[in-house]
Amino acid sequence: MASHGSVFGAMLQEFEGAARILNLDPGLWKMLTHPKRQIIVSCPIQMDNGEIEVFTGYRVQYNITLGPAKGGIRFHPDVSLDEVTALAAWMTWKCAVAQLPFGGGKGGIICDPTRMSRRELEALTRRYTAEIVDLIGPEKDIPAPDVNTNEQVMAWFMDTYSMHVGHTSTAVVTGKPVEMGGSLGRREATGRGVMITTREAARHLGFDLQGATVSVQGFGNVGSVAAALLAQLGAKVVAVTDWKGGVYNAAGLDIPALLDYTQQHRSVDGFPHAEALDRPAIFGLDVDVFVPAALENQITVENADQIKAKLIVEGANGPTTPDAHALLHKRGVFVVPDILANAGGVTTSYFEWVQDRHGYFWNEAEVNEKLEAKMVQAFAAVLETAERYKIDMRTAAYIVAINRVATVTKMRGMYA
Ligand code: NAD
């Protein structure tokens, strides 16, 4: 199937490559390429000016064979059912790669949170939660933060759900504030997972991260933590870009100082002790490792040839288009795919859900130790598959994931 320019089409293209190698049964193929549930809701909100606005929200439960659906909620003007469905499918494969007892889901509301007040955002979150309340729950579907949603949004979500069911239910969402059942280490978990998979990949490729050069696109939750932890391992993070600009220092950027600067100025742009870098220049830098940690569709056929890094670790979801990925693979660039590289976030979300259900909380060292074990295991399973079939890591990750979901689908059998 061609991608037809849609995000879900791109997911299908990736799925197909793996399903063909697996010689996947045609019935399973059909089942695994259709979302189980797509929910569309209208959320009327009284805005601060007294007028009523109606916002469209989505929740997609792509597959729940391995357990309850799991995946974030995005607030963005460009949210579409196509995008939410693709993201829900990627969550399905990501949870399966990390061997979590979860299926895949995702939600989104078409809105521009930068133009909404805190009260309006709270009203929208609560109304959206109420509209989907029968379909979510700790055993059904467990949302989390995504683009433009945060711990506060999760707190409102959890409170609204709890009011509807009549008791406090912490395990209905992850990414909550630690004070109300969130997990220590959750905030850093995705970046930590990126660091762990970068380290494992470098070891496999036979180069030392000590002194290796790294560039990072995006300096938000994922990019900044990955940069800080890679620098702690001795890597030289020489370049960082964000929505506004970029910075470069051949001797390595001072990441803690850059973080402080970004907190004050909302961007890395203008950071002293570094040269300014044009945002697109991030692709052509002569570095060992490139970490795209910003948005979808950043590495395209237009810039893939400029990339000199021998290792790309996808912190973001879907940062490389399928055609660009094919070019990189042909050139021998080792790509750690998103569904493996950024699985640290959902893995620690799983730990949060486990802790909430037990009502017993672990210290941060325990969380990080368990995350380390899960990520190392997932990386090894995907690498072993890539070597066995002589294929790239993305196709291998899909093979691992599809195999796990397909095996359980067959065991559970057909209902009807
Ligand atoms: P974030 O909003 O905290 O940070 C995004 C960063 O990207 C910001 O620094 C922003 O300035 C930068 N950016 C935006 N447009 C850019 C551009 N055109 N060029 C360069 N930089 C640009 O988001 P995040 O939570 O760090 O997520 C980043 C990516 O990682 C997304 O694709 C997200 O879906 C994915 N992801 C996040 C998590 C998580 O736990 N936060 C988990 C898995 C995957």
Side-chain angles (χ1 to χ4, degrees), residues 74 87 94 106 145-148 186-187 190 217-223 241-245 266 279 293-296 298 315-318 342-343 345-346:
R74 179 174 289 203
L87 290 163
K94 196 180 296 183
K106 203 80 180 191
D146 192 67
V147 175
N148 293 328
R186 169 66 186 88
R187 212 172 290 158
T190 308
Q217 185 198 35
F219 202 60
N221 179 287
V222 180
T241 55
D242 68 12
W243 65 279
K244 195 169 174 204
R266 293 189 54 238
R279 278 188 307 159
L295 306 165
E296 287 140 46
Q298 294 302 297
N317 284 316
N342 69 35
V346 71

